Amino acid sequence: MFTNSSCGIFPTLSANYPIANYPVASVGMDYKLKLGNWHVETSIYNGTGYNMFVGKENVFRFCPKTDGILSITSLNYQNNDSGYYMGIALHSGMSAGDESGNDETEEKKKLNTVLWGYAEQKLSSGLYALFQYSINPTEKQGCRSYVGGGLVMRYKKIEGGVFADYADFTTEHEWASELTCKFLFGKSGYVQPAFHLIANTRECNWVGLIRLGYEI
């Protein structure tokens, strides 16, 4: 429901490595195993995301030797409208801040690790609490840790929510909050306006957006 921080997903992952996070993509394989209320999911991607369909920067490129590789594994448990998720991501290759191309130094060959946990807890009928935490213990640059929490309320065809998060970067800190409301129409459509307040050690900005969706 939430757009999350200014990095979209966990910034300990998306801000540190040039992975498949908007507006780029990369080819990958995904495997899911369901055992009752437990779910195990593993994905492997090309370690660098691209936004072209031809040439060396096409989204279907798979070249671990130069682009690195990204592996994500998560263990999930869902019961009584609540969900609990924990996972690990392993990335080899360049970091997002490295602009030296294909220069294979020992530091770039290092395997980096990202850990995260995420919970959606049902408090009452139509009221849910969210909590996220992630840490990058191996990356010396970029985002080292992230924490966020929020509330979601559902009533008939309306969903409203508020979310706040904090990201710790080596050079600065980011605080972000989001207020959003999702209006369902028909059987499969929705419109969702959202307002963000994003502040770091340099500036503070308001951001507004609106999402439209229809499920086929």
Side-chain angles (χ1 to χ4, degrees):
M1 181 175 183
F2 298 102
T3 310
N4 215 325
S5 71
S6 60
C7 294
I9 60 175
F10 289 116
T12 47
L13 187 60
S14 61
N16 291 347
Y17 312 109
I19 60 171
N21 185 42
Y22 68 82
V24 298
S26 68
V27 67
M29 297 181 295
D30 181 74
Y31 174 77
K32 297 180 181 179
L33 176 64
K34 184 177 180 180
L35 299 172
N37 294 332
W38 293 89
H39 298 73
V40 179
E41 183 172 1
T42 299
S43 303
I44 298 177
Y45 301 91
N46 189 57
T48 302
Y50 297 105
N51 60 0
M52 305 293 290
F53 288 99
V54 294
K56 292 184 178 181
E57 296 188 358
N58 71 84
V59 296
F60 299 103
R61 170 186 171 96
F62 187 77
C63 190
K65 183 177 180 180
T66 57
D67 293 346
I69 195 166
L70 172 66
S71 173
I72 300 177
T73 301
S74 64
L75 176 64
N76 313 326
Y77 177 78
Q78 295 177 317
N79 190 31
N80 295 327
D81 291 333
S82 296
Y84 312 93
Y85 314 84
M86 57 183 178
I88 182 173
L90 302 175
H91 183 273
S92 66
M94 295 186 300
S95 65
D98 195 335
E99 300 178 353
S100 56
N102 296 326
D103 183 16
E104 294 287 337
T105 66
E106 289 300 320
E107 184 176 355
K108 293 171 195 171
K109 293 180 181 179
K110 178 181 177 182
L111 190 64
N112 294 286
T113 305
V114 178
L115 304 171
W116 76 84
Y118 173 55
E120 296 180 359
Q121 178 64 49
K122 181 178 180 180
L123 301 178
S124 62
S125 178
L127 183 63
Y128 299 82
L130 313 176
F131 179 76
Q132 299 177 338
Y133 179 74
S134 179
I135 186 171
N136 190 328
T138 56
E139 183 62 68
K140 298 179 181 179
Q141 303 294 326
C143 184
R144 297 172 294 188
S145 62
Y146 164 87
V147 63
L151 290 172
V152 173
M153 180 176 291
R154 298 172 182 169
Y155 179 72
K156 294 183 178 180
K157 290 188 175 184
I158 301 176
E159 295 182 49
V162 60
F163 188 85
D165 61 70
Y166 167 77
D168 177 26
F169 291 83
T170 53
T171 57
E172 62 184 13
H173 307 281
E174 179 189 89
W175 297 265
S177 58
E178 177 179 358
L179 178 64
T180 185
C181 196
K182 186 176 183 180
F183 302 92
L184 305 178
F185 61 88
K187 294 183 179 180
S188 305
Y190 71 88
V191 56
Q192 182 180 355
F195 297 94
H196 296 259
L197 174 62
I198 302 175
N200 54 39
T201 52
R202 295 172 297 172
E203 59 185 355
C204 179
N205 293 298
W206 286 94
V207 179
L209 61 88
I210 186 169
R211 285 185 280 176
L212 301 174
Y214 189 85
E215 295 183 3
I216 299 176

